[in-house]
Amino acid sequence: MPDISTAPIDQVFLDELVHFSPFAIYTCDRDGYLTWFNQAAVDLWGRTPVIGKDMWSGSWKTYYPDGRLMNQDDCPMALTLKSGKSHERSEIKIEQPNHQFKDLLVFPRPVFSNSGKLAGAINTLIDITEQKKAEKRQSTLSAIVESSDDAIVSKNLDGIITSWNNGARRIFGYTEEEVIGKHITIIIPPHLRSEEDMIIRNIKAGKKIDHFRTIRIAKDGSERHISITVSPVKDGKGNIVGASKIARDVHEQLLRENEIRLANQRLEIMNSIGTGLLGKVDEHAILQKVTDATTKITGAAFGAFFYNMVSDNGESFMLYTLSGAPKEAFERMGMPRNTEIFHPTFAGEGVIRVDDITKDPRYGKNPPHNGMPHGHLPVVSYMAVPVVTPGGSVLGGLFFGHPDAGVFKAEHQNMVVSIAAQASVALDNSRLFQEVKALSIKKDEFIALAGHEMKTPLTILKGYLQLLEKGEVDPLKRMFLDKSVHQTNRLNTLIEELLDISRVEAGKLSLQYEYFDFRKMAYDIMETFRYTNETHEIIVVNTKKDLFINADMQRMEQVMNNLLGNAIKYSPKANKVYLDMDIQNEMLTVKVKDEGIGIGKQDQDKIFTRFFRVSENKNISGLGLGLYLSKEIIERHGGTISVTSSKGEGAEFCFSIPINKQQGN
Amino acid sequence: MEMNKKIYLVEDTADLRTLVEFLLTRMGFNVESFATAGDYLKRIAITLPDLVILDIMLPDGNGIEICNHQKADPATSQVPVLLMSANIYSKEEIQERADVQFISKPFDIDDFANKVKGMAGMAPA
């Protein structure tokens, strides 16, 4: 060793040097027993060894660098003494009694006497724990950076790329060698260059940029949808010297988001169809909605629903609804016929979905057109879904076309099939509804007809009875005849009520307005009640002079007859009915109060509906039409009618009408 | 007096025809009855009455149409017409005026008699 000092060293200096060296130093005799150690060694071992007793080393436990426990006899110091050769730069790991681990670089050297015999050995221990930790962290970080799917790129404040990981190579296509030292704009599309200025501005201000969605250009010129996070890189003194950028390829994510958005859109459409169809009973509205929605959902250029019309020459299909194209586009065409393409749909054999119909073996076989007729909207992608009723018959088909190939996918098919199923249920409901409506109309027609048929015999009966009355008859026979005439009148009232129902239903209950004294009319009615009902007394509560109103007098008589008749009929154990009539604020208000059986809360809304009769009153006769008609008449006069009652405590019916409503408004 | 005044009665129901005939005859009118519109139209083409009492629903015609036709024809327009029907809608379909009136079935025979008296009296003799 020529270049280090060979001059003798003073013993005092030497002692100072070894005792207070920051490096752990110890010595062993040739048998391996520790003979000396300094304070740094004690600190490193975490214990004070016993001179002449501890062998090879003062450490509590020793390990190989990979963590295996090392036999003390195999430690570098032991090997040095056993072999007489130095084992400098050996790496070991030791454990202190407090279970702290230290990584050490050890330098055992044999020491020989002047006679050349092995006298012992010295060892210097260097603590490399921190260095090892840093190395490990560094390699972990590198591994993370290198194995990341994300592009991790660093650049200086001038935008020059300083590092480039595998992820960056994968996403952008450039190798590390190709881009290090180049400006970052190599991957920024020209129209987005200003972004880089913004990013650098933020970085210089110490701000991080989080999840910024943008587009970069790969080596092959294709666009990459990425999300970038850019953070400032600081030097040891905290100065910002560059930026690290993590870019995530969000192309897949965008596709997925797009899928989700589309799926949501479809769900919305499906849902709107579901709820939309629920309330619909109009066949055309149902089919139009279904055609529109399925055309939208499939992305078809146009869609149509054709009815399955069976004619003499097999099948013919009638265009019913169209979406995405004007009706004129099909007007000049003949209806599609029973061809190989169309037949399976109208036979309900299932869905036909073809990427390019013009290449389909079934296409173009039928004269005269041998394919689409001239002027037909261009169809390449084709899909046809049969609409089958719950009963299994084929109602028709939904047809979709698009000028590009391969537009319709399995998912479109599934959705259309499910909508078609909903539609067929809705159409079935529509058909049932139409049937019920037709039956109801028939019923009203029947009631009207039956009523009229009854009137002629009634006229004859009444006429002859009246003639008999006019002749010479004894008082008993006269009474019989009176009662008979009275009953024909009652019969007529019942028939009129039935006819009124069909008039109301047909919207033909017309009012003939006239100016009359309601009070006088009421008194006239009370007069007839006095003749026919001896059981009850009608007491007028209010004694105002006259109550002139503009209304249909006959109809108002009908209402009063009904209300007073009910009051008497439903109070078999009482003998009084109270009538209150008054005009205030241009409104006539009439109240009819009885002390009868009353009406339970649950029935109070229903008594004004037709044919309704309170169930426990079966022994009281009636058709259940009077209050329905009264309500109709009052409302047609622009008024309201209501009831106040509780069970067993009588009822009060009250109606109000404007006194000056003009005919027709 | 109503003597010599002629009334044509068109009614397909025999019992009602008999009743009305009886009433009118007792009132002193000269009544001719017809069960069909066809027979009636043949007769009025020859001789005009002072009043026609016309049922609306006839097996071979509709009283309102016959009435309208008759009112539009100068030969018959002067003859007053009393329409009878059970169908109250019919009342809304016709323009009631002094010489075209409506009575709904079933009617009170006194009301009927008053109406006939009034209408037959206004006809030209």
Side-chain angles (χ1 to χ4, degrees), chain A residues 487-520:
Chain A
Q487 287 309 312
T488 59
N489 288 339
R490 255 190 61 72
L491 198 52
N492 188 45
T493 307
L494 288 173
I495 293 170
E496 277 302 329
E497 278 187 355
L498 277 173
L499 290 176
D500 279 345
I501 292 297
S502 50
R503 281 173 200 136
V504 168
E505 297 297 308
K508 284 184 174 169
L509 186 82
S510 63
L511 301 179
Q512 306 293 324
Y513 279 79
E514 59 187 299
Y515 193 61
F516 67 98
D517 181 3
F518 187 91
R519 183 184 159 83
K520 181 179 178 301

mmCIF file of all heavy atoms in Angstrom, chain A residues 487-520:
data_model
loop_
_atom_site.group_PDB
_atom_site.id
_atom_site.type_symbol
_atom_site.label_atom_id
_atom_site.label_comp_id
_atom_site.label_asym_id
_atom_site.label_seq_id
_atom_site.Cartn_x
_atom_site.Cartn_y
_atom_site.Cartn_z
ATOM 1 N N GLN A 487 -150.398 4.506 -10.979
ATOM 2 C CA GLN A 487 -149.326 3.524 -11.173
ATOM 3 C C GLN A 487 -148.752 3.571 -12.589
ATOM 4 O O GLN A 487 -147.556 3.338 -12.774
ATOM 5 C CB GLN A 487 -149.802 2.111 -10.822
ATOM 6 C CG GLN A 487 -149.971 1.881 -9.314
ATOM 7 C CD GLN A 487 -148.731 2.283 -8.503
ATOM 8 O OE1 GLN A 487 -147.613 1.918 -8.848
ATOM 9 N NE2 GLN A 487 -148.943 3.050 -7.431
ATOM 10 N N THR A 488 -149.592 3.892 -13.584
ATOM 11 C CA THR A 488 -149.012 4.035 -14.930
ATOM 12 C C THR A 488 -148.055 5.235 -14.938
ATOM 13 O O THR A 488 -147.013 5.194 -15.585
ATOM 14 C CB THR A 488 -150.080 4.218 -16.035
ATOM 15 O OG1 THR A 488 -150.852 5.378 -15.740
ATOM 16 C CG2 THR A 488 -150.970 3.012 -16.168
ATOM 17 N N ASN A 489 -148.390 6.278 -14.180
ATOM 18 C CA ASN A 489 -147.488 7.436 -14.094
ATOM 19 C C ASN A 489 -146.155 7.041 -13.426
ATOM 20 O O ASN A 489 -145.085 7.477 -13.836
ATOM 21 C CB ASN A 489 -148.138 8.585 -13.311
ATOM 22 C CG ASN A 489 -149.257 9.236 -14.124
ATOM 23 O OD1 ASN A 489 -149.288 9.113 -15.351
ATOM 24 N ND2 ASN A 489 -150.183 9.899 -13.444
ATOM 25 N N ARG A 490 -146.280 6.225 -12.371
ATOM 26 C CA ARG A 490 -145.070 5.769 -11.697
ATOM 27 C C ARG A 490 -144.202 4.940 -12.656
ATOM 28 O O ARG A 490 -142.984 5.086 -12.708
ATOM 29 C CB ARG A 490 -145.429 4.925 -10.472
ATOM 30 C CG ARG A 490 -145.230 5.674 -9.163
ATOM 31 C CD ARG A 490 -145.358 4.746 -7.967
ATOM 32 N NE ARG A 490 -144.360 3.666 -7.964
ATOM 33 C CZ ARG A 490 -143.076 3.858 -7.719
ATOM 34 N NH1 ARG A 490 -142.610 5.070 -7.492
ATOM 35 N NH2 ARG A 490 -142.256 2.833 -7.713
ATOM 36 N N LEU A 491 -144.889 4.070 -13.393
ATOM 37 C CA LEU A 491 -144.189 3.235 -14.357
ATOM 38 C C LEU A 491 -143.463 4.115 -15.373
ATOM 39 O O LEU A 491 -142.318 3.876 -15.730
ATOM 40 C CB LEU A 491 -145.215 2.338 -15.066
ATOM 41 C CG LEU A 491 -144.708 1.110 -15.801
ATOM 42 C CD1 LEU A 491 -143.816 0.265 -14.922
ATOM 43 C CD2 LEU A 491 -145.914 0.281 -16.274
ATOM 44 N N ASN A 492 -144.160 5.176 -15.774
ATOM 45 C CA ASN A 492 -143.559 6.089 -16.732
ATOM 46 C C ASN A 492 -142.330 6.782 -16.142
ATOM 47 O O ASN A 492 -141.314 6.947 -16.816
ATOM 48 C CB ASN A 492 -144.585 7.117 -17.192
ATOM 49 C CG ASN A 492 -144.052 7.968 -18.328
ATOM 50 O OD1 ASN A 492 -143.455 7.432 -19.256
ATOM 51 N ND2 ASN A 492 -144.233 9.271 -18.230
ATOM 52 N N THR A 493 -142.412 7.161 -14.859
ATOM 53 C CA THR A 493 -141.263 7.804 -14.214
ATOM 54 C C THR A 493 -140.060 6.866 -14.221
ATOM 55 O O THR A 493 -138.930 7.271 -14.504
ATOM 56 C CB THR A 493 -141.617 8.191 -12.757
ATOM 57 O OG1 THR A 493 -142.809 8.966 -12.789
ATOM 58 C CG2 THR A 493 -140.509 8.985 -12.104
ATOM 59 N N LEU A 494 -140.316 5.603 -13.908
ATOM 60 C CA LEU A 494 -139.218 4.625 -13.896
ATOM 61 C C LEU A 494 -138.590 4.495 -15.288
ATOM 62 O O LEU A 494 -137.372 4.477 -15.433
ATOM 63 C CB LEU A 494 -139.727 3.249 -13.431
ATOM 64 C CG LEU A 494 -140.070 3.161 -11.945
ATOM 65 C CD1 LEU A 494 -140.715 1.819 -11.625
ATOM 66 C CD2 LEU A 494 -138.824 3.362 -11.088
ATOM 67 N N ILE A 495 -139.449 4.417 -16.294
ATOM 68 C CA ILE A 495 -138.941 4.289 -17.668
ATOM 69 C C ILE A 495 -138.137 5.544 -18.025
ATOM 70 O O ILE A 495 -137.056 5.468 -18.597
ATOM 71 C CB ILE A 495 -140.105 4.075 -18.666
ATOM 72 C CG1 ILE A 495 -140.765 2.720 -18.410
ATOM 73 C CG2 ILE A 495 -139.604 4.159 -20.099
ATOM 74 C CD1 ILE A 495 -142.066 2.515 -19.164
ATOM 75 N N GLU A 496 -138.662 6.723 -17.621
ATOM 76 C CA GLU A 496 -137.952 7.979 -17.907
ATOM 77 C C GLU A 496 -136.572 7.991 -17.273
ATOM 78 O O GLU A 496 -135.601 8.455 -17.859
ATOM 79 C CB GLU A 496 -138.767 9.183 -17.412
ATOM 80 C CG GLU A 496 -139.842 9.656 -18.371
ATOM 81 C CD GLU A 496 -139.274 10.048 -19.743
ATOM 82 O OE1 GLU A 496 -138.111 10.507 -19.810
ATOM 83 O OE2 GLU A 496 -139.989 9.864 -20.744
ATOM 84 N N GLU A 497 -136.511 7.466 -16.033
ATOM 85 C CA GLU A 497 -135.205 7.426 -15.362
ATOM 86 C C GLU A 497 -134.230 6.575 -16.151
ATOM 87 O O GLU A 497 -133.071 6.945 -16.354
ATOM 88 C CB GLU A 497 -135.351 6.884 -13.937
ATOM 89 C CG GLU A 497 -135.803 7.947 -12.949
ATOM 90 C CD GLU A 497 -135.779 7.464 -11.507
ATOM 91 O OE1 GLU A 497 -135.494 6.277 -11.259
ATOM 92 O OE2 GLU A 497 -136.049 8.295 -10.642
ATOM 93 N N LEU A 498 -134.722 5.415 -16.607
ATOM 94 C CA LEU A 498 -133.865 4.541 -17.400
ATOM 95 C C LEU A 498 -133.410 5.239 -18.678
ATOM 96 O O LEU A 498 -132.243 5.187 -19.069
ATOM 97 C CB LEU A 498 -134.614 3.258 -17.766
ATOM 98 C CG LEU A 498 -134.621 2.166 -16.699
ATOM 99 C CD1 LEU A 498 -135.538 1.038 -17.122
ATOM 100 C CD2 LEU A 498 -133.212 1.656 -16.441
ATOM 101 N N LEU A 499 -134.351 5.929 -19.307
ATOM 102 C CA LEU A 499 -134.009 6.631 -20.546
ATOM 103 C C LEU A 499 -133.032 7.775 -20.274
ATOM 104 O O LEU A 499 -132.139 8.026 -21.065
ATOM 105 C CB LEU A 499 -135.283 7.160 -21.217
ATOM 106 C CG LEU A 499 -136.186 6.081 -21.811
ATOM 107 C CD1 LEU A 499 -137.454 6.697 -22.356
ATOM 108 C CD2 LEU A 499 -135.457 5.311 -22.912
ATOM 109 N N ASP A 500 -133.227 8.449 -19.114
ATOM 110 C CA ASP A 500 -132.308 9.530 -18.756
ATOM 111 C C ASP A 500 -130.878 9.009 -18.648
ATOM 112 O O ASP A 500 -129.928 9.691 -19.030
ATOM 113 C CB ASP A 500 -132.721 10.162 -17.418
ATOM 114 C CG ASP A 500 -133.853 11.181 -17.603
ATOM 115 O OD1 ASP A 500 -134.073 11.572 -18.762
ATOM 116 O OD2 ASP A 500 -134.478 11.569 -16.610
ATOM 117 N N ILE A 501 -130.747 7.796 -18.105
ATOM 118 C CA ILE A 501 -129.410 7.215 -17.984
ATOM 119 C C ILE A 501 -128.763 7.113 -19.361
ATOM 120 O O ILE A 501 -127.634 7.543 -19.563
ATOM 121 C CB ILE A 501 -129.480 5.800 -17.360
ATOM 122 C CG1 ILE A 501 -129.908 5.879 -15.902
ATOM 123 C CG2 ILE A 501 -128.135 5.090 -17.458
ATOM 124 C CD1 ILE A 501 -128.955 6.607 -15.011
ATOM 125 N N SER A 502 -129.509 6.577 -20.318
ATOM 126 C CA SER A 502 -128.893 6.457 -21.640
ATOM 127 C C SER A 502 -128.682 7.826 -22.277
ATOM 128 O O SER A 502 -127.734 8.019 -23.012
ATOM 129 C CB SER A 502 -129.681 5.510 -22.557
ATOM 130 O OG SER A 502 -131.032 5.844 -22.551
ATOM 131 N N ARG A 503 -129.515 8.796 -21.911
ATOM 132 C CA ARG A 503 -129.287 10.164 -22.405
ATOM 133 C C ARG A 503 -127.997 10.729 -21.823
ATOM 134 O O ARG A 503 -127.194 11.322 -22.527
ATOM 135 C CB ARG A 503 -130.449 11.081 -22.008
ATOM 136 C CG ARG A 503 -131.637 10.903 -22.913
ATOM 137 C CD ARG A 503 -132.839 11.688 -22.409
ATOM 138 N NE ARG A 503 -134.030 11.120 -22.997
ATOM 139 C CZ ARG A 503 -135.148 10.873 -22.345
ATOM 140 N NH1 ARG A 503 -135.255 11.173 -21.062
ATOM 141 N NH2 ARG A 503 -136.168 10.345 -22.957
ATOM 142 N N VAL A 504 -127.810 10.527 -20.507
ATOM 143 C CA VAL A 504 -126.593 11.032 -19.859
ATOM 144 C C VAL A 504 -125.373 10.379 -20.502
ATOM 145 O O VAL A 504 -124.409 11.033 -20.864
ATOM 146 C CB VAL A 504 -126.617 10.750 -18.339
ATOM 147 C CG1 VAL A 504 -125.241 11.003 -17.727
ATOM 148 C CG2 VAL A 504 -127.654 11.631 -17.658
ATOM 149 N N GLU A 505 -125.432 9.053 -20.652
ATOM 150 C CA GLU A 505 -124.303 8.319 -21.220
ATOM 151 C C GLU A 505 -124.021 8.787 -22.643
ATOM 152 O O GLU A 505 -122.886 8.843 -23.076
ATOM 153 C CB GLU A 505 -124.597 6.812 -21.237
ATOM 154 C CG GLU A 505 -124.780 6.205 -19.856
ATOM 155 C CD GLU A 505 -123.529 6.299 -19.005
ATOM 156 O OE1 GLU A 505 -122.470 5.871 -19.502
ATOM 157 O OE2 GLU A 505 -123.602 6.801 -17.873
ATOM 158 N N ALA A 506 -125.091 9.092 -23.376
ATOM 159 C CA ALA A 506 -124.915 9.511 -24.766
ATOM 160 C C ALA A 506 -124.642 11.009 -24.862
ATOM 161 O O ALA A 506 -124.462 11.547 -25.941
ATOM 162 C CB ALA A 506 -126.158 9.153 -25.570
ATOM 163 N N GLY A 507 -124.599 11.680 -23.702
ATOM 164 C CA GLY A 507 -124.365 13.127 -23.702
ATOM 165 C C GLY A 507 -125.538 13.894 -24.268
ATOM 166 O O GLY A 507 -125.404 14.994 -24.770
ATOM 167 N N LYS A 508 -126.737 13.274 -24.204
ATOM 168 C CA LYS A 508 -127.898 13.911 -24.816
ATOM 169 C C LYS A 508 -128.904 14.446 -23.806
ATOM 170 O O LYS A 508 -130.054 14.694 -24.152
ATOM 171 C CB LYS A 508 -128.606 12.909 -25.754
ATOM 172 C CG LYS A 508 -127.857 12.720 -27.061
ATOM 173 C CD LYS A 508 -128.634 11.819 -27.983
ATOM 174 C CE LYS A 508 -127.965 11.734 -29.349
ATOM 175 N NZ LYS A 508 -128.549 10.688 -30.177
ATOM 176 N N LEU A 509 -128.446 14.584 -22.558
ATOM 177 C CA LEU A 509 -129.353 15.152 -21.558
ATOM 178 C C LEU A 509 -129.319 16.666 -21.741
ATOM 179 O O LEU A 509 -128.432 17.337 -21.233
ATOM 180 C CB LEU A 509 -128.891 14.769 -20.148
ATOM 181 C CG LEU A 509 -129.829 15.185 -19.026
ATOM 182 C CD1 LEU A 509 -130.952 14.182 -18.879
ATOM 183 C CD2 LEU A 509 -129.079 15.334 -17.716
ATOM 184 N N SER A 510 -130.260 17.171 -22.498
ATOM 185 C CA SER A 510 -130.207 18.613 -22.765
ATOM 186 C C SER A 510 -131.152 19.340 -21.826
ATOM 187 O O SER A 510 -132.133 18.775 -21.351
ATOM 188 C CB SER A 510 -130.577 18.890 -24.221
ATOM 189 O OG SER A 510 -131.900 18.476 -24.440
ATOM 190 N N LEU A 511 -130.822 20.573 -21.544
ATOM 191 C CA LEU A 511 -131.623 21.359 -20.602
ATOM 192 C C LEU A 511 -132.401 22.435 -21.358
ATOM 193 O O LEU A 511 -131.898 23.032 -22.302
ATOM 194 C CB LEU A 511 -130.702 22.036 -19.570
ATOM 195 C CG LEU A 511 -129.833 21.088 -18.733
ATOM 196 C CD1 LEU A 511 -128.965 21.906 -17.767
ATOM 197 C CD2 LEU A 511 -130.683 20.093 -17.956
ATOM 198 N N GLN A 512 -133.656 22.644 -20.966
ATOM 199 C CA GLN A 512 -134.476 23.710 -21.552
ATOM 200 C C GLN A 512 -134.657 24.777 -20.473
ATOM 201 O O GLN A 512 -135.463 24.623 -19.559
ATOM 202 C CB GLN A 512 -135.852 23.151 -21.967
ATOM 203 C CG GLN A 512 -135.788 21.949 -22.888
ATOM 204 C CD GLN A 512 -135.226 22.307 -24.256
ATOM 205 O OE1 GLN A 512 -135.479 23.389 -24.781
ATOM 206 N NE2 GLN A 512 -134.438 21.390 -24.829
ATOM 207 N N TYR A 513 -133.866 25.839 -20.586
ATOM 208 C CA TYR A 513 -133.908 26.862 -19.545
ATOM 209 C C TYR A 513 -135.164 27.715 -19.642
ATOM 210 O O TYR A 513 -135.603 28.068 -20.742
ATOM 211 C CB TYR A 513 -132.679 27.773 -19.644
ATOM 212 C CG TYR A 513 -131.455 27.172 -18.997
ATOM 213 C CD1 TYR A 513 -130.702 26.214 -19.645
ATOM 214 C CD2 TYR A 513 -131.070 27.575 -17.714
ATOM 215 C CE1 TYR A 513 -129.589 25.659 -19.049
ATOM 216 C CE2 TYR A 513 -129.955 27.032 -17.100
ATOM 217 C CZ TYR A 513 -129.220 26.070 -17.774
ATOM 218 O OH TYR A 513 -128.131 25.536 -17.171
ATOM 219 N N GLU A 514 -135.747 27.999 -18.481
ATOM 220 C CA GLU A 514 -136.850 28.960 -18.439
ATOM 221 C C GLU A 514 -136.801 29.674 -17.090
ATOM 222 O O GLU A 514 -136.155 29.220 -16.150
ATOM 223 C CB GLU A 514 -138.207 28.269 -18.651
ATOM 224 C CG GLU A 514 -138.526 27.209 -17.622
ATOM 225 C CD GLU A 514 -139.798 26.446 -17.997
ATOM 226 O OE1 GLU A 514 -140.852 27.093 -18.091
ATOM 227 O OE2 GLU A 514 -139.724 25.213 -18.183
ATOM 228 N N TYR A 515 -137.486 30.813 -17.016
ATOM 229 C CA TYR A 515 -137.471 31.621 -15.809
ATOM 230 C C TYR A 515 -138.707 31.235 -14.999
ATOM 231 O O TYR A 515 -139.825 31.344 -15.488
ATOM 232 C CB TYR A 515 -137.516 33.108 -16.217
ATOM 233 C CG TYR A 515 -137.191 34.068 -15.111
ATOM 234 C CD1 TYR A 515 -135.946 34.047 -14.477
ATOM 235 C CD2 TYR A 515 -138.129 35.024 -14.723
ATOM 236 C CE1 TYR A 515 -135.646 34.958 -13.474
ATOM 237 C CE2 TYR A 515 -137.835 35.940 -13.719
ATOM 238 C CZ TYR A 515 -136.591 35.897 -13.099
ATOM 239 O OH TYR A 515 -136.300 36.793 -12.113
ATOM 240 N N PHE A 516 -138.512 30.736 -13.796
ATOM 241 C CA PHE A 516 -139.683 30.321 -13.011
ATOM 242 C C PHE A 516 -139.425 30.475 -11.518
ATOM 243 O O PHE A 516 -138.280 30.646 -11.081
ATOM 244 C CB PHE A 516 -140.076 28.871 -13.350
ATOM 245 C CG PHE A 516 -139.052 27.857 -12.901
ATOM 246 C CD1 PHE A 516 -139.216 27.157 -11.698
ATOM 247 C CD2 PHE A 516 -137.922 27.584 -13.678
ATOM 248 C CE1 PHE A 516 -138.273 26.229 -11.285
ATOM 249 C CE2 PHE A 516 -136.983 26.651 -13.263
ATOM 250 C CZ PHE A 516 -137.153 25.975 -12.073
ATOM 251 N N ASP A 517 -140.534 30.397 -10.744
ATOM 252 C CA ASP A 517 -140.435 30.532 -9.289
ATOM 253 C C ASP A 517 -140.216 29.144 -8.687
ATOM 254 O O ASP A 517 -141.125 28.305 -8.668
ATOM 255 C CB ASP A 517 -141.727 31.181 -8.748
ATOM 256 C CG ASP A 517 -141.675 31.377 -7.231
ATOM 257 O OD1 ASP A 517 -140.615 31.066 -6.636
ATOM 258 O OD2 ASP A 517 -142.683 31.840 -6.674
ATOM 259 N N PHE A 518 -139.018 28.915 -8.218
ATOM 260 C CA PHE A 518 -138.672 27.613 -7.673
ATOM 261 C C PHE A 518 -139.555 27.277 -6.469
ATOM 262 O O PHE A 518 -139.981 26.146 -6.261
ATOM 263 C CB PHE A 518 -137.187 27.601 -7.268
ATOM 264 C CG PHE A 518 -136.694 26.243 -6.848
ATOM 265 C CD1 PHE A 518 -136.142 25.373 -7.787
ATOM 266 C CD2 PHE A 518 -136.772 25.815 -5.522
ATOM 267 C CE1 PHE A 518 -135.704 24.120 -7.422
ATOM 268 C CE2 PHE A 518 -136.334 24.562 -5.149
ATOM 269 C CZ PHE A 518 -135.796 23.713 -6.098
ATOM 270 N N ARG A 519 -139.858 28.324 -5.696
ATOM 271 C CA ARG A 519 -140.647 28.101 -4.485
ATOM 272 C C ARG A 519 -142.047 27.586 -4.833
ATOM 273 O O ARG A 519 -142.521 26.627 -4.231
ATOM 274 C CB ARG A 519 -140.757 29.433 -3.731
ATOM 275 C CG ARG A 519 -141.477 29.366 -2.422
ATOM 276 C CD ARG A 519 -141.592 30.774 -1.821
ATOM 277 N NE ARG A 519 -142.657 30.829 -0.863
ATOM 278 C CZ ARG A 519 -142.513 30.435 0.405
ATOM 279 N NH1 ARG A 519 -141.354 30.016 0.830
ATOM 280 N NH2 ARG A 519 -143.528 30.495 1.237
ATOM 281 N N LYS A 520 -142.649 28.188 -5.887
ATOM 282 C CA LYS A 520 -143.982 27.754 -6.282
ATOM 283 C C LYS A 520 -143.924 26.303 -6.768
ATOM 284 O O LYS A 520 -144.745 25.471 -6.412
ATOM 285 C CB LYS A 520 -144.525 28.661 -7.395
ATOM 286 C CG LYS A 520 -145.935 28.283 -7.838
ATOM 287 C CD LYS A 520 -146.448 29.195 -8.918
ATOM 288 C CE LYS A 520 -147.845 28.747 -9.372
ATOM 289 N NZ LYS A 520 -147.838 27.372 -9.881
#
